[in-house]
Amino acid sequence: MADHDADPRRLPEKQRGPVVLRRSRSIEPTTTDQRLLDSRGPADWVHTDPWRVMRIQAEFVEGFGMLAELPRAATVFGSARTPVDSPEYELGRELGARLAGAGFAVITGGGPGTMEAANRGASEAGGLSVGLGIELPFEQGLNPWVDLGINFRYFFARKTMFVKYSQAFVCLPGGFGTLDELFEALVLVQTKKVTKFPVVLLGTDYWGGLYDWIAKTVLREGKVSERDLDLLHLTDDIDDAVDVVHEAYHAWEETH
């Protein structure tokens, strides 16, 4: 009689930790610890989904452990392609310094360009400069101005750290990565997954077109509300950006 026709109460059954295996095609002839201890065997298992779960868990544990005692912080996003001798680099450097002067640690993606500029500004001003890097197909590494750094394999683990340990996002001109972080932050605030969390767009020439499209097309079509549009703060003034971050932190502090 085939397994699917048998009385399920009499089917062979095996426990593998919290997992129950039934029917002969699902049951392995060896135990997990036997396979671990008997021989080295192939290395393919380190690339399987269950092992990836452990790697993911390790990234969260490492990130939470490293950042748990971080002081108040703001995350600065921007392009890795920003040249060192460009006005955007100087803008990021000044922003990092001003945030540090206001008592904020500065968190970036830890890479070159605008990220390096913000880390550099914070470090030179005597503040804490944090870099949360990501493994990419091309070599990047943490920039030399990072005081406290960690590299992640997984974008979602890294994004959690940005949001959990930051009280604000400031976005300088950037590409897909910056846009990704920008809109993820907006969704989290819109859906109240995080509160008292401002998102500042620094650079009206660069961000103005995007802001106008949201206001004139997305809002007009009813895809967002007026309140959603208020989640974005567009400015060219570094003092204004830092004030927004500062005010939001104090509002957050009052509720915690």
Side-chain angles (χ1 to χ4, degrees):
M1 181 169 21
D3 280 352
H4 57 80
D5 295 326
D7 183 344
R9 292 169 297 181
R10 303 182 64 181
L11 290 174
E13 177 177 307
K14 182 177 180 180
Q15 292 278 146
R16 191 174 69 188
V19 178
V20 176
L21 301 174
R22 291 183 177 139
R23 298 181 176 82
S24 58
R25 62 179 176 273
S26 302
I27 297 179
E28 298 166 328
T30 59
T31 62
T32 302
D33 52 359
Q34 180 185 342
R35 292 192 300 276
L36 173 66
L37 298 173
D38 258 359
S39 64
R40 290 185 59 183
D44 292 349
W45 64 277
V46 301
H47 303 296
T48 61
D49 287 342
W51 182 247
R52 287 192 181 98
V53 170
M54 299 301 292
R55 283 181 170 170
I56 292 166
Q57 179 182 6
E59 291 210 342
F60 279 105
V61 170
E62 190 70 31
F64 291 156
M66 187 186 83
L67 301 172
E69 297 181 2
L70 197 68
R72 59 182 181 173
T75 291
V76 177
F77 289 116
S79 177
R81 304 180 185 188
T82 302
V84 175
D85 59 353
S86 69
E88 284 178 15
Y89 187 95
E90 284 306 311
L91 182 67
R93 188 174 173 182
E94 184 179 352
L95 175 64
R98 300 288 274 278
L99 286 169
F104 289 88
V106 173
I107 305 173
T108 79
T114 298
M115 293 175 281
E116 176 186 299
N119 285 135
R120 180 177 179 177
S123 183
E124 290 175 334
L128 180 59
S129 171
V130 181
L132 307 181
I134 186 71
E135 180 183 68
L136 296 171
F138 42 88
E139 290 299 322
Q140 184 167 310
L142 295 175
N143 69 68
W145 297 99
V146 169
D147 302 319
L148 180 64
I150 183 171
N151 277 303
F152 291 87
R153 284 189 176 93
Y154 301 101
F155 272 110
F156 54 83
R158 179 182 184 236
K159 287 177 179 178
T160 299
M161 304 304 154
F162 281 134
V163 175
K164 181 172 176 59
Y165 294 104
S166 178
Q167 279 77 53
F169 281 176
V170 182
C171 297
L172 277 70
F176 287 158
T178 302
L179 292 169
D180 174 54
E181 299 292 358
L182 164 63
F183 282 106
E184 178 140 9
L186 289 173
V187 169
L188 291 172
V189 179
Q190 180 195 47
T191 56
K192 300 189 183 303
K193 298 296 185 182
V194 294
T195 57
K196 309 293 185 185
F197 197 101
V199 180
V200 180
L201 302 178
L202 187 55
T204 57
D205 284 347
Y206 189 85
W207 294 113
L210 175 65
Y211 187 89
D212 288 345
W213 174 73
I214 295 172
K216 295 177 181 178
T217 300
V218 183
L219 177 62
R220 186 178 60 199
E221 293 288 330
K223 303 301 188 291
V224 296
S225 68
E226 290 277 2
R227 181 180 297 178
D228 295 332
L229 191 62
D230 291 340
L231 300 176
L232 283 167
H233 186 84
L234 179 64
T235 185
D236 283 316
D237 189 336
I238 289 180
D239 287 335
D240 183 31
V242 174
D243 285 346
V244 169
V245 173
H246 213 277
E247 289 168 9
Y249 174 75
H250 284 304
W252 174 87
E253 197 174 33
E254 291 173 1
T255 64
H256 290 71

